Amino acid sequence: MTGAYAQTSTVTGKITDESGAGLPGVTVLVKGTTTGTATDNQGNFSLSVPNVATGVLQVSFVGYRQQEVAISNRTSVDIRLAADTKALDEVVVVGYGTQEKRSITNAVTTVQGEDIAKLTVADVGSALQGKAAGVSVVGAGSEPGASPQILIRGLSTINGNSPLYVVDGLPVANINYLNPKDIASLSVLKDAASAAIYGSRAANGVILITTKAGTKGDPKITLDVTYGVSNPTNIPEMASSSEYARIMNLAATNSNRPAVYPDPASLTSTTNWWDQIARQGSTQNYSVGLSGGSDRVVYSTGISYFKEQGLIKNSDFDRLSLRLKTEYQAAKRLKVGEDFNISVTNQKFLNNNALFRDAFNNDPITPARVAGTSGNPYDYYGASPTDIGNPLAVVERNDDRRNQYFLVGNVYANYEFVPGLIFETRFGSNNNVYERNAFSPFFTIDANERNQVNTVTREHNLEINWNNTNTLNFTKSLGEHNVSALAGVTLERFSTRTELAEGQAIPSNDPNLRYPDAATANFRVTGNDFVNTIASLIGRVNYDFKGRYLLGASIRRDGASVFPSANRWGVFPSVSAGWLISDETFMKGLAPVNFFKLRASWGRVGNQNIRSITNSAYTGTLGRVFYVTGDARTEQLGVIQSNVPNPNVKWETVEDYDLGTDLAFLENKLTVTADVFRRNTMDMLMSQSIPAHAGYGYNSPVTNIGSMKTNGLDFSVGYAKTTGEFTYGANVNATRAVSKINKLANGQALFSGNTPIFGRPSKTEEGGYVGAFYGYQTQGIFQTQEQINSYTGPDGKLVQADAKPGDFRFADLNNDGVLDAKDQQYIGNPTPDLTFGVNLTAGYKNFDLQVTLAGSLGNDVVNVTKGWTYSGSYNYNKVSGLEDLAWHGEGTSNTVPRIVANDNNQNLTRFSDFYVEDGSYARMRNLQLGYTLPKEASKVLRMSSLRLYVSAQNLFTITNYSGLDPEIGYGRYYTDLPSALNRGVDIGNYPTSRTYLVGANIAF
């Protein structure tokens, strides 16, 4: 580094560690300048200083505390650095308080806001992917406004597995209002011992988010600007019109049918449906922040705007957010504060989750548009011979706009009665207004694709949730004994009001008439009120002796209105212990080991995740029903009981055992955290089927019949070092969590993952994995008729009498000569053996580089789309090259069956291991290169700092999966709803985007 002024004196010295050994590569700077140097291999340095009387040396090195040493007219200055344990002494946010990281006895992972802010994404989950051990994030496409699926240590239940979010002390269920760049720190409570303090809502883990706060000092203005463009990561190569015609003719010939297309070569025009509906996506993010403070008040406020234009036309999302966070020292012992976030989100929603799939399945011969004279522009589209609607028409007539208005915030006050005794009261409210305006026009493309009556829908939902928390914290040290205790009361109320108005037969499709008053027929109005409450008592004690022997315990008693009075209250305790072995005398001689802690914990948390937030689990409700009477079949309106109540329903309980260790080596440059855990889920809330003769209209009652267990481990290994002007670091984290079912309602297996081709491929039963794939096993392909004739059962009859050469041979597992359900077996598992994240950092002078990879190993995916694109039984388009891939003569293929119009052997309509593929993948989640201008250059621009960067997100994916994207999470509404039972079934998701961005971080 070169000084900016004349150098007048030389100062030499040596930098050593605590043992007196020289430290190479230590950075030595003259404070207030860019003049500096680095120590040599023995720790020596020599530096020219303009004024040795007033000069100050700043000394910094990774793993050691930074020091400032006044030169005081000396020409030789030796400095001894102390090991920096701030990573271990770091204050971590835990439930209803904070705790030093070195004394934590539970399984808690922290992520800093600066790491989250390196990604420009719409939601917290996407930014968290690959960052935290024990946390698995599955995106399942890049649909604007859609949230990824987050699992903390795998599955906790067969119901919903979403974690609880707590933002600045306020529990919230919907996190879409929050700009990830506003996060200062994030803590993940992974085990029940850490989460038990949140009781009934913590069964799936807790994510504690602290937003950015002000600090004492002059006002500081920050500006973040990012813009990027997106394209899909993978587009399948589909057959052209002539190739498609040849394949359809081949399928007909192989089924003894006449050719479908007399002259395939004459079909020279191909409709690429993806090109018709696609566009280049874009991402924009603009954030302005103001922070500062004095001895009495600190503040942080900001406004941000995020906009994402989807890869498919008519799919967009934007969010405008305003936040304000202040804290005021009202009196010597009294602090008051508030934090508010006002957000507005707008989404153009594509109300067709199968659209991406349909764009590749639709035949390539049909033109996208045709001329018309009806006067209705929604009629002028080509009609396909398939049962798929024209994808371009679907996109262009789609009108489904969804807006949400959030007001989320806290006000609080805390008073310190005496040193170490603090009372705090906090009132928070989470309010959300949801509005949906949708319109379905009338149109006629052909007899199969038409809508004769248009429909308008307007929907309003209002959520008003509030939380009042009152806590008393006590901290006391008596010699070598340290105690902290917490006692508190929380009250929560959740209220939702729903309204929906719908009507049909609007006189025109004109956009100006798309409101309910314009409807002339078939009016429908629905609405309801849902209210539930929770009252809780909480307590926690942490104790340590000599800072070395650590104990912790907590308890929470929750009363929830969703349960009957006899079972309303649940008690959720936890205990934990830790031993700081590295502080023991016998460890002092082990120089490489700087920190070594063992910890163990046990705890229970509750789950009240009943089908809805109402009390209908234990009380009967009424619902409307329409029926007809008399010879004229006159329609009548009636009321029936719509559910079967269960007065005995009670809490679902999740019990965790955890054993972990935290280690640091080599002056804290190398850190290791590892945990093994066991989770038992008891009294699992389920819906139990009832016989049909019980009556019309009943929903299945909620019961407590079901239990499962999850075994797993997670670990994180990090390394960081500075050598001269070069810094680098790496962190690798991984999680394994495997769940098995112990008990289900009446021992009945659950089938899920509904598909149009072969039904439900997922089966969950006692003793088995959750949502495992269950079907037939193939044993290659019959190459000759002789092979078919030799495949017989005990009675000498052919096992597959309808088979022809080129068809699959299915395994007759029980050797009874008949292929039926008894021959099915488990042929795949959607649960990964391991999910992982790799985070790399490097810096040289003013350049910085960040790399994040994420992925999974050992999970299987059902590639449902092969049932259409490999089959000749439908008029859908086919994958390019299918004529060569499929069996077309002896020895040509043993994996892809022949192309036929009549699939008499059920090659593709029978669910088999043909569809099950390895879903392992590794994805380059983020690659970012930044450059920070030197301070002199920033000052010329009247800025305190300026950093410019370029980045690429989802740059590449390494996988053997033949489908579009191996990152498949829960299903969608057309695959039996999103649930833990329905994972890894690829029936066509919104595509994942590859995004290139440029941005700037500016401070004034």
Side-chain angles (χ1 to χ4, degrees):
M1 286 170 276
T2 304
Y5 43 79
Q7 300 168 337
T8 57
S9 301
T10 299
V11 175
T12 61
K14 186 173 184 177
I15 310 298
T16 61
D17 62 15
E18 292 170 306
S19 66
L23 288 173
V26 177
T27 299
V28 184
L29 285 171
V30 179
K31 185 178 181 180
T33 75
T34 57
T35 301
T37 187
T39 58
D40 61 18
N41 291 335
Q42 285 73 46
N44 299 310
F45 72 92
S46 178
L47 183 65
S48 294
V49 179
N51 191 331
V52 294
T54 60
V56 175
L57 297 181
Q58 286 183 325
V59 183
S60 59
F61 190 55
V62 172
Y64 292 84
R65 294 175 184 166
Q66 180 175 303
Q67 288 193 32
E68 293 187 0
V69 178
I71 300 173
S72 302
N73 286 317
R74 291 178 291 174
T75 57
S76 178
V77 180
D78 293 336
I79 302 171
R80 177 172 291 186
L81 294 182
D84 183 7
T85 60
K86 68 179 181 180
L88 304 172
D89 296 332
E90 169 192 348
V91 175
V92 174
V93 177
V94 295
Y96 301 100
T98 59
Q99 195 173 356
E100 284 190 358
K101 190 173 183 179
R102 67 185 295 119
S103 62
I104 289 177
T105 53
N106 304 322
V108 180
T109 294
T110 60
V111 180
Q112 297 304 313
E114 58 207 46
D115 296 324
I116 295 174
K118 290 170 186 174
L119 279 172
T120 299
V121 291
D123 57 90
V124 174
S126 296
L128 193 57
Q129 193 172 38
K131 298 290 186 183
V135 181
S136 302
V137 182
V138 181
S142 298
E143 181 177 4
S147 299
Q149 296 150 8
I150 301 177
L151 294 178
I152 296 179
R153 289 187 165 180
L155 303 176
S156 296
T157 177
I158 63 172
N159 299 296
N161 281 272
S162 297
L164 170 68
Y165 294 95
V166 180
V167 182
D168 291 328
L170 178 65
V172 296
N174 189 333
I175 202 72
N176 285 346
Y177 73 91
L178 185 64
N179 180 1
K181 292 181 182 291
D182 287 337
I183 295 174
S185 67
L186 184 151
S187 298
V188 183
L189 310 184
K190 299 185 292 187
D191 64 339
S194 60
I197 198 71
Y198 286 103
S200 64
R201 304 174 66 189
N204 302 318
V206 182
I207 297 178
L208 305 179
I209 295 173
T210 302
T211 60
K212 293 177 179 178
T215 56
K216 180 181 175 182
D218 294 332
K220 180 180 180 181
I221 299 175
T222 58
L223 174 63
D224 288 343
V225 179
T226 308
Y227 180 81
V229 295
S230 304
N231 291 293
T233 56
N234 186 22
I235 293 297
E237 187 176 353
M238 306 303 294
S240 66
S241 56
S242 59
E243 182 183 4
Y244 166 79
R246 292 197 307 270
I247 294 173
M248 296 304 294
N249 285 346
L250 177 60
T253 300
N254 287 341
S255 297
N256 298 316
R257 293 182 180 180
V260 182
Y261 298 95
D263 186 10
S266 65
L267 300 172
T268 57
S269 178
T270 297
T271 300
N272 186 317
W273 291 103
W274 171 249
D275 287 347
Q276 292 292 327
I277 67 171
R279 64 181 175 185
Q280 186 177 70
S282 66
T283 301
Q284 303 173 59
N285 190 84
Y286 310 99
S287 301
V288 180
L290 173 65
S291 63
S294 64
D295 291 332
R296 298 296 297 271
V297 63
V298 291
Y299 59 88
S300 175
T301 185
I303 187 170
S304 63
Y305 178 71
F306 177 89
K307 181 176 177 60
E308 187 173 11
Q309 179 176 281
L311 298 175
I312 297 178
K313 299 172 184 176
N314 236 350
S315 62
D316 302 282
F317 174 82
D318 66 74
R319 178 183 57 229
L320 178 65
S321 298
L322 172 66
R323 65 179 184 87
L324 176 64
K325 187 174 187 178
T326 61
E327 185 172 82
Y328 179 60
Q329 188 75 46
K332 182 179 179 180
R333 299 180 182 275
L334 176 64
K335 287 183 181 180
V336 295
E338 54 75 29
D339 54 82
F340 284 101
N341 194 305
I342 302 172
S343 298
V344 179
T345 66
N346 302 288
Q347 182 183 18
K348 287 184 179 179
F349 182 73
L350 271 175
N351 199 11
N352 188 328
N353 285 306
L355 182 62
F356 186 59
R357 176 193 74 204
D358 291 347
F360 299 105
N361 282 354
N362 211 26
D363 75 283
I365 297 175
T366 298
R369 300 182 189 275
V370 296
T373 58
S374 68
N376 182 2
Y378 298 113
D379 294 347
Y380 307 155
Y381 298 94
S384 171
T386 70
D387 59 356
I388 297 173
N390 184 303
L392 180 62
V394 170
V395 169
E396 294 190 344
R397 67 173 175 257
N398 182 76
D399 184 4
D400 193 339
R401 291 162 289 141
R402 304 182 178 193
N403 308 317
Q404 285 187 280
Y405 307 88
F406 296 92
L407 174 59
V408 182
N410 276 298
V411 293
Y412 65 91
N414 66 59
Y415 185 80
E416 187 176 26
F417 291 102
V418 295
L421 181 62
I422 299 174
F423 171 76
E424 180 175 280
T425 183
R426 181 180 292 265
F427 182 86
S429 186
N430 176 15
N431 308 300
N432 172 18
V433 178
Y434 170 85
E435 180 183 38
R436 177 183 177 223
N437 289 278
F439 181 78
S440 175
F442 55 74
F443 63 90
T444 301
I445 295 176
D446 68 1
N448 296 318
E449 189 176 355
R450 63 178 182 170
N451 181 39
Q452 298 298 80
V453 181
N454 57 18
T455 303
V456 65
T457 302
R458 178 164 294 179
E459 183 178 2
H460 284 91
N461 297 332
L462 173 63
E463 285 188 37
I464 301 178
N465 307 322
W466 61 257
N467 173 288
N468 175 231
T469 302
N470 303 278
T471 57
L472 189 65
N473 274 282
F474 175 73
T475 304
K476 186 70 174 178
S477 294
L478 298 171
E480 295 177 322
H481 302 271
N482 303 292
V483 179
S484 65
L486 165 76
V489 177
T490 70
L491 303 171
E492 298 177 83
R493 185 179 190 272
F494 310 90
S495 172
T496 300
R497 300 176 183 175
T498 66
E499 296 176 356
L500 183 145
E502 188 175 271
Q504 293 185 320
I506 294 88
S508 167
N509 287 332
D510 191 303
N512 294 315
L513 296 177
R514 296 179 179 182
Y515 48 84
D517 270 359
T520 62
N522 299 329
F523 302 101
R524 184 171 73 98
V525 177
T526 63
N528 214 324
D529 292 343
F530 305 101
V531 178
N532 75 313
T533 57
I534 301 176
S536 308
L537 301 173
I538 58 177
R540 179 176 59 211
V541 176
N542 289 318
Y543 165 80
D544 73 71
F545 177 62
K546 295 183 177 181
R548 188 183 311 165
Y549 309 107
L550 315 170
L551 291 173
S554 72
I555 191 167
R556 177 162 178 148
R557 178 173 166 82
D558 274 340
S561 65
V562 295
F563 294 106
S565 56
N567 299 324
R568 185 154 295 169
W569 290 90
V571 178
F572 309 106
S574 77
V575 293
S576 58
W579 179 21
L580 203 54
I581 301 175
S582 53
D583 281 6
E584 298 288 357
T585 304
F586 62 80
M587 290 291 294
K588 299 302 181 183
L590 297 178
V593 182
N594 307 111
F595 186 81
F596 181 15
K597 179 174 67 176
L598 281 178
R599 48 187 169 76
S601 66
W602 169 89
R604 285 184 172 182
V605 291
N607 187 5
Q608 55 163 342
N609 189 21
I610 297 178
R611 188 168 47 235
S612 71
I613 64 171
T614 71
N615 301 333
S616 61
Y618 68 92
T619 60
T621 57
L622 300 179
R624 289 181 302 181
V625 62
F626 293 92
Y627 60 97
V628 294
T629 60
D631 295 337
R633 301 186 63 82
T634 304
E635 185 178 75
Q636 303 287 338
L637 174 63
V639 175
I640 64 169
Q641 183 174 339
S642 59
N643 74 296
V644 178
N646 178 6
N648 300 315
V649 67
K650 61 182 179 179
W651 288 94
E652 178 179 315
T653 303
V654 177
E655 179 182 59
D656 272 359
Y657 297 86
D658 185 274
L659 179 64
T661 184
D662 303 304
L663 297 153
F665 306 91
L666 308 175
E667 288 79 37
N668 298 308
K669 298 182 186 70
L670 176 64
T671 58
V672 178
T673 296
D675 290 79
V676 293
F677 58 88
R678 169 74 176 268
R679 174 180 295 155
N680 298 317
T681 304
M682 300 165 286
D683 296 320
M684 194 156 48
L685 293 167
M686 299 172 55
S687 295
Q688 184 177 359
S689 299
I690 60 176
H693 65 259
Y696 171 78
Y698 287 141
N699 292 319
S700 300
V702 175
T703 65
N704 289 103
I705 304 174
S707 62
M708 75 177 194
K709 63 181 178 181
T710 300
N711 293 324
L713 60 88
D714 59 57
F715 67 86
S716 176
V717 179
Y719 184 80
K721 186 176 182 180
T722 297
T723 303
E725 295 179 304
F726 180 59
T727 63
Y728 60 92
N731 178 276
V732 178
N733 63 77
T735 304
R736 173 178 169 83
V738 180
S739 301
K740 283 191 172 183
I741 295 293
N742 290 331
K743 185 178 181 182
L744 289 174
N746 297 328
Q748 296 176 347
L750 304 175
F751 292 87
S752 190
N754 190 33
T755 70
I757 299 175
F758 44 70
R760 293 178 169 85
S762 303
K763 182 180 181 181
T764 303
E765 66 178 341
E766 294 179 352
Y769 296 105
V770 178
F773 304 135
Y774 192 77
Y776 292 89
Q777 179 183 339
T778 61
Q779 297 177 324
I781 287 176
F782 292 118
Q783 301 294 324
T784 64
Q785 186 62 44
E786 287 74 18
Q787 292 178 354
I788 298 172
N789 295 339
S790 63
Y791 189 29
T792 59
D795 58 0
K797 294 181 179 180
L798 296 181
V799 175
Q800 294 178 236
D802 294 326
K804 302 292 182 184
D807 287 338
F808 276 132
R809 170 179 165 140
F810 295 102
D812 178 18
L813 295 179
N814 63 354
N815 197 32
D816 65 354
V818 179
L819 284 178
D820 54 23
K822 298 175 184 177
D823 297 305
Q824 292 179 311
Q825 65 176 9
Y826 286 104
I827 55 178
N829 188 354
T831 302
D833 293 333
L834 203 71
T835 59
F836 64 88
V838 179
N839 297 277
L840 309 174
T841 60
Y844 179 71
K845 293 186 176 179
N846 290 357
F847 288 93
D848 62 87
L849 177 70
Q850 295 96 26
V851 179
T852 299
L853 296 98
S856 68
L857 300 173
N859 58 295
D860 295 311
V861 173
V862 175
N863 188 354
V864 180
T865 60
K866 291 166 70 173
W868 295 295
T869 59
Y870 281 65
S871 171
S873 298
Y874 310 97
N875 291 324
Y876 304 143
N877 202 3
K878 318 301 174 188
V879 294
S880 181
L882 182 61
E883 294 165 288
D884 294 326
L885 289 172
W887 187 93
H888 52 279
E890 185 177 350
T892 54
S893 176
N894 203 38
T895 56
V896 180
R898 66 194 182 109
I899 303 170
V900 292
N902 293 331
D903 189 8
N904 296 325
N905 193 55
Q906 295 182 273
N907 291 317
L908 301 181
T909 58
R910 192 195 309 262
F911 178 56
S912 70
D913 53 14
F914 169 74
Y915 288 102
V916 180
E917 300 184 32
D918 180 11
S920 303
Y921 72 94
R923 171 163 285 159
M924 176 69 78
R925 187 78 177 101
N926 184 44
L927 173 64
Q928 186 178 109
L929 177 65
Y931 177 75
T932 301
L933 267 66
K935 289 192 174 182
E936 290 81 1
S938 298
K939 289 180 179 178
V940 171
L941 297 173
R942 299 184 181 275
M943 302 173 182
S944 59
S945 67
L946 171 61
R947 176 178 176 268
L948 305 173
Y949 64 89
V950 294
S951 68
Q953 296 175 184
N954 300 324
L955 185 60
F956 64 81
T957 303
I958 302 172
T959 185
N960 290 324
Y961 181 58
S962 69
L964 299 178
D965 191 346
E967 193 175 348
I968 302 295
Y970 293 177
R972 298 296 187 263
Y973 74 91
Y974 53 90
T975 57
D976 283 354
L977 301 176
S979 86
L981 302 177
N982 181 18
R983 297 175 297 153
V985 180
D986 183 4
I987 199 168
N989 283 318
Y990 196 100
T992 297
S993 61
R994 179 184 295 111
T995 305
Y996 300 94
L997 303 113
V998 295
N1001 309 126
I1002 307 169
F1004 298 93

